[in-house]
Amino acid sequence: MTTPSSVQSRLPANPADTGTGTTAEQRPEATVKRMLIGGRWVESRTGAWREVISPAHRGRVLGQVPEAGPDDVDRAVAAARAAWPAWRDQHFTARQRQLLKIADLVEQRADELARITAADTGNALRTQARPEVATLVDLFRYFGGVAGEVKGYTLPAGPAQLQYTRQEPLGVVGGILPWNSPLMIAGFKVPAALAAGNTVVLKAAEDAPLSILLLAEICQDVLPPGVLNVVTGAGATVGQALVNHDGVDKVSFTGSTEVGRRIAQQAASRLAHVSLELGGKSPSIVFPGEVTDALIDGLLLSSRVTRQGQSCTAGTRLFVHRDVHDEVVARLVTRMSALTVGDPLDEATDIGAIINETQFRTVGDYLDEGLSDPRLTLELGGLPPDTGPLAEGYFHLPTLFSGADNSFRLAREEIFGPVLVAIPWDDVDDVIRMANDSAYGLAAYVWCDDIHRAVDTAHRLEAGWVQVNQGGGQVVGQSYGGYKQSGIGREVSLEGMIAGFTQTKQINIQLADR
C-alpha cells in the first residue's frame, strides 16, 4: 500500500506566491464580467452578482458575474429569436466563414483562454486546459467545414412531380453547460447549432463561467448581434427558465443524470426538442497478456485522473483479468505516484483541483466509505492532507482501491473524483455481464492483444462509445453520446448536427398534368 505522501504536490502556500511555473502577471485577475445579450454586455435585471471562487485557493475570488433571473432569460431568448431569420437565411458559406474566423481568433487567444480555464475550473493548464482549447478550435473548424452538408434529398417521382426534403434549423437552441470542461462542451453545441442555422442562448456553468464569457467576447467580434447570447447564474433559476421557455425550440444539456431527468420531463411537457449528455461509470476491461508501458499509460489516460476524475467518460471501473491483476495494479500505482497534484496554473502540475467545496466533500465521503471497508485495500492515495500546500484548495489525491467487486457503491456510482476501483475477473462472459450491469452506458475501454476478441467484446458492451487499446478523448467528427441513463442524442459529428439541430421538411410539387 502506498501512502498519500507518495503523491507529489505543488501549490503556493500563499496566493500571491505563484510557484515555479506562473508569474503574478500571468494569473487572471479578479474582474467583473457581464452577460452577452443581443450583442450588448449587460448586467442582470435582478441587480445581483455572484462570485466565482478559485478551486485552487479557498476563498480567493476570481471574478464576479451577474446573477441572472427569468427576466434575463426572456430578453436573451427574444434577442436570439429576433436574430434567427437573418441568420437562418444566410447562404451556408456566410455562416461557414464566420465559424472559421472564430476558430482563427480562438487559436490566436489560446493561451489566454487556457489560463482562464485553468483558474476557473481547476483543470491543470498543461494536461487539460490547453488541450481543451485546441479541441475547441478544431470543433469550430470542423462544423464550419461541414456547414454545406446540411441538405436533403430528391425522390425519383417522375417528370410530373418534384419531391424533395429540406433540413431546416430548429430555431433557438438553449445550451446548458457543465463546469468540468466548459469550453469543449460549448464546442460540441455552439458551432454545430450555428452551422445548421440556429441561434443560441448559452447558460454558463455557475461555478466556471469565465472562460465561456471570454469565448462570447471572441464570438461577438464576428457574429451578428443576438446570434449567440450568454447568461450566467444558478441552474435552478436560469437553467430552469431556459428549459421551460416557450421561445426555446431545443434544449441541449450536458451534466448529471439526475438533473437531466428533470430537464427531460420539463422539456417534454411542451414537446421541445432535447439532447442530453449525462453521467457515466465507464468500464475498462483488461485481458490477459503482456503488461506494457503503453497499457498502463492508456489506463491512466482513460481513467481521466489528470482531469481529477471529473469526466463522464472516466474509465474508473478497472476490470483486470486475474492473471495480470496484481502486476497492472502495482504498475498503475507506480505511474500514478509520479503525478504532481497542485496549482492548475503551474506548468509542472499534472492534476489540478476539484471544482468546489461541495464536490470536494462528496468525493471525500466516497473515500471515507472505501477506507472504512475492510474488504478493500487502499493501493494509493486516500483522504487529502489537512495541512500543507494542498490544504489551500480543493485538492484530492489520485486514489486506487483493490479488492472490490461490481456490487460496491464505489464501483456503481459516478464519483466524479480521481478514484479508481480494481475488480478481478476470470471469464469473459462474466466480465461483459459486469461491465453492462450499470445504469450508465456512455463509454467503455477494451485492452486486448487479440483483435478478434477485442472487437467481439466491444460489440457486446452497452455503451455509446467504445475504444479498443486506446483511452483518449472525444474525436472531432465522430458521434458521441450514451446508452441507457447516460443520455439521448449525439454530438460532435455531422450526423449528430443534422439529427440534433435540424428538422426535416418534405415538399411535393405538381409540375404538370400527366
Side-chain angles (χ1 to χ4, degrees):
M1 181 174 72
T2 304
T3 64
S5 61
S6 298
V7 178
Q8 301 180 50
S9 67
R10 183 187 299 272
L11 184 73
N14 185 315
D17 174 12
T18 59
T20 61
T22 308
T23 66
E25 290 75 17
Q26 291 174 310
R27 290 180 176 275
E29 295 299 323
T31 185
V32 174
K33 292 289 186 181
R34 292 171 174 78
M35 303 181 295
L36 180 63
I37 296 179
R40 299 176 57 242
W41 294 99
V42 300
E43 300 177 8
S44 69
R45 286 183 173 166
T46 67
W49 296 82
R50 71 181 298 120
E51 292 182 335
V52 182
I53 305 299
S54 167
H57 300 283
R58 300 180 194 227
R60 180 181 179 210
V61 178
L62 296 174
Q64 290 184 316
V65 298
E67 184 73 82
D71 286 351
D72 300 302
V73 173
D74 284 344
R75 56 177 172 159
V77 173
R81 188 148 295 282
W84 179 49
W87 181 253
R88 173 197 63 200
D89 293 341
Q90 285 188 11
H91 193 276
F92 79 87
T93 55
R95 294 198 295 269
Q96 185 176 63
R97 284 192 296 270
Q98 291 169 79
L99 293 177
L100 295 177
K101 178 62 175 176
I102 290 171
D104 291 342
L105 293 175
V106 168
E107 191 168 51
Q108 290 170 19
R109 300 180 70 174
D111 189 67
E112 182 183 3
L113 276 162
R115 289 186 178 281
I116 288 179
T117 296
D120 204 18
T121 64
N123 291 336
L125 179 66
R126 174 177 50 82
T127 60
Q128 298 303 317
R130 286 201 186 102
E132 182 174 346
V133 176
T135 300
L136 178 67
V137 173
D138 289 343
L139 287 161
F140 268 96
R141 288 204 172 122
Y142 172 77
F143 285 112
V146 299
E149 298 303 312
V150 184
K151 53 193 177 186
Y153 58 86
T154 304
L155 291 173
Q161 279 278 317
L162 174 60
Q163 298 180 5
Y164 65 96
T165 62
R166 286 165 52 91
Q167 294 301 132
E168 298 187 342
L170 299 174
V172 175
V173 172
I176 302 177
L177 300 179
W179 41 254
N180 58 327
S181 298
L183 282 179
M184 184 176 72
I185 304 302
F188 290 177
K189 304 180 190 302
V190 174
L194 296 182
N198 302 279
T199 54
V200 176
V201 177
L202 204 58
K203 191 272 177 192
E206 54 199 85
D207 287 304
L210 299 180
S211 60
I212 294 301
L213 290 171
L214 179 54
L215 174 62
E217 178 185 320
I218 294 169
C219 292
Q220 184 200 23
D221 291 338
V222 178
L223 299 173
V227 169
L228 175 64
N229 308 272
V230 177
V231 292
T232 56
T237 303
V238 182
Q240 184 165 324
L242 196 58
V243 170
N244 291 321
H245 202 291
D246 288 338
V248 174
D249 301 286
K250 159 77 182 278
V251 177
S252 178
F253 169 77
T254 299
S256 72
T257 295
E258 179 184 0
V259 175
R261 287 195 198 99
R262 294 200 300 268
I263 287 175
Q265 292 169 352
Q266 293 166 0
S269 69
R270 59 185 186 85
L271 299 180
H273 297 261
V274 65
S275 61
L276 306 169
E277 195 270 282
L278 307 176
K281 189 69 175 178
S282 301
S284 198
I285 301 175
V286 181
F287 280 78
E290 184 182 0
V291 180
T292 64
D293 290 341
L295 169 63
I296 300 303
D297 288 344
L299 288 172
L300 185 69
L301 181 61
S302 64
S303 74
R304 309 296 189 247
V305 163
T306 57
R307 280 179 61 181
Q308 303 82 258
Q310 296 180 150
S311 169
C312 299
T313 62
T316 54
R317 285 193 294 158
L318 300 181
F319 293 103
V320 187
H321 193 275
R322 201 174 300 275
D323 288 352
V324 294
H325 177 275
D326 292 350
E327 183 179 359
V328 167
V329 167
R331 291 184 62 173
L332 262 179
V333 166
T334 299
R335 183 72 176 83
M336 292 167 65
S337 298
L339 298 174
T340 298
V341 182
D343 186 348
L345 284 163
D346 194 316
E347 296 284 356
T349 293
D350 298 298
I351 302 174
I354 300 293
I355 185 67
N356 57 31
E357 183 175 7
T358 299
Q359 185 60 24
F360 176 81
R361 292 185 181 279
T362 297
V363 175
D365 289 343
Y366 281 104
L367 291 172
D368 280 331
E369 180 174 322
L371 292 168
S372 65
D373 193 322
R375 296 170 296 176
L376 292 175
T377 299
L378 177 66
E379 302 285 352
L380 176 74
L383 293 172
D386 53 14
T387 60
L390 293 185
E392 297 292 325
Y394 301 122
F395 294 95
H396 270 292
L397 306 174
T399 297
L400 174 60
F401 288 102
S402 65
D405 62 44
N406 202 46
S407 68
F408 281 60
R409 194 167 78 100
L410 271 66
R412 301 195 68 80
E413 297 183 8
E414 186 176 38
I415 298 173
F416 235 57
V419 182
L420 283 65
V421 179
I423 302 170
W425 65 274
D426 298 288
D427 179 74
V428 66
D429 291 332
D430 188 45
V431 75
I432 292 173
R433 178 193 59 77
M434 288 191 293
N436 289 337
D437 181 19
S438 172
Y440 298 111
L442 184 56
Y445 307 88
V446 179
W447 310 89
C448 183
D449 294 335
D450 184 336
I451 193 63
H452 299 289
R453 174 167 283 188
V455 171
D456 178 68
T457 301
H459 288 176
R460 295 172 64 187
L461 290 172
E462 297 169 356
W465 180 33
V466 182
Q467 296 193 67
V468 175
N469 295 329
Q470 61 180 27
Q474 293 88 340
V475 179
V476 174
Q478 295 184 1
S479 290
Y480 172 64
Y483 285 16
K484 298 187 280 191
Q485 293 187 33
S486 287
I488 55 176
R490 295 293 182 268
E491 295 181 329
V492 193
S493 65
L494 168 62
E495 295 80 9
M497 175 179 72
I498 293 173
F501 294 110
T502 72
Q503 54 196 342
T504 303
K505 177 182 286 183
Q506 175 71 46
I507 300 175
N508 291 22
I509 302 173
Q510 172 94 14
L511 297 177
D513 292 329
R514 293 281 177 106

